[in-house]
Amino acid sequence: MNRYPWSMIVRVLVFFLPLLALYLFSRWSAMQMAGQTHRGDSALGIAVLLGAMTLVMLLGFIIDFVVQIWRRRTFNWLVDGLLIAMLMTPFGWFACNWFGGTEYLLCKVPMSLFGTVLEWLGL
């Protein structure tokens, strides 16, 4: 049994709160830049910030994943594994498009999942 029952909630909040904050900032920025001529400048900055934030979160969750396996906390490393898989989804989508592997099942799953999330967010 897990000694720390709130550990899953903390992990999920650490995953979703920065992404939610960036999403809300990008919506606000899009509304502010709607009438200006160089709208792509803020979008590029947000994309770079999202990439950096994803890499930092990925590194943090991988380190936590290894620590939780070492401490034998099964539920915690399962949650970390799920969050790592969610963080890797955009990279899988870009890799499949870059290398042209859209016909393989391994590439169809991340592409359809990431495409569904983008449609759901209205991006």
Side-chain angles (χ1 to χ4, degrees):
M1 186 70 189
N2 192 356
R3 289 183 2 200
Y4 306 103
W6 296 101
S7 63
M8 183 204 58
I9 295 170
V10 170
R11 281 174 175 75
V12 171
L13 287 176
V14 165
F15 178 76
F16 281 112
L17 286 181
L19 293 176
L20 178 66
L22 187 64
Y23 174 73
L24 293 175
F25 176 72
S26 68
R27 287 293 184 184
W28 176 79
S29 176
M31 288 190 312
Q32 296 297 320
M33 297 291 169
Q36 297 182 4
T37 57
H38 296 287
R39 292 189 303 254
D41 294 342
S42 67
L44 182 61
I46 290 171
V48 168
L49 183 60
L50 176 64
M53 191 170 65
T54 302
L55 289 174
V56 168
M57 286 173 49
L58 189 60
L59 179 66
F61 280 116
I62 287 173
I63 291 170
D64 188 51
F65 181 76
V66 171
V67 168
Q68 297 306 320
I69 286 177
W70 182 68
R71 291 183 180 174
R72 294 187 177 118
R73 294 182 183 159
T74 306
F75 190 69
N76 289 347
W77 66 260
L78 286 174
V79 171
D80 283 339
L82 176 67
L83 295 176
I84 289 169
M86 290 173 68
L87 284 170
M88 291 299 291
T89 301
F91 296 114
W93 186 80
F94 286 117
C96 288
N97 280 327
W98 186 271
F99 295 114
T102 57
E103 65 274 359
Y104 300 112
L105 180 65
L106 185 63
C107 283
K108 284 183 183 179
V109 173
M111 289 179 67
S112 65
L113 179 65
F114 192 61
T116 303
V117 169
L118 289 178
E119 288 176 8
W120 180 65
L121 291 174
L123 298 175

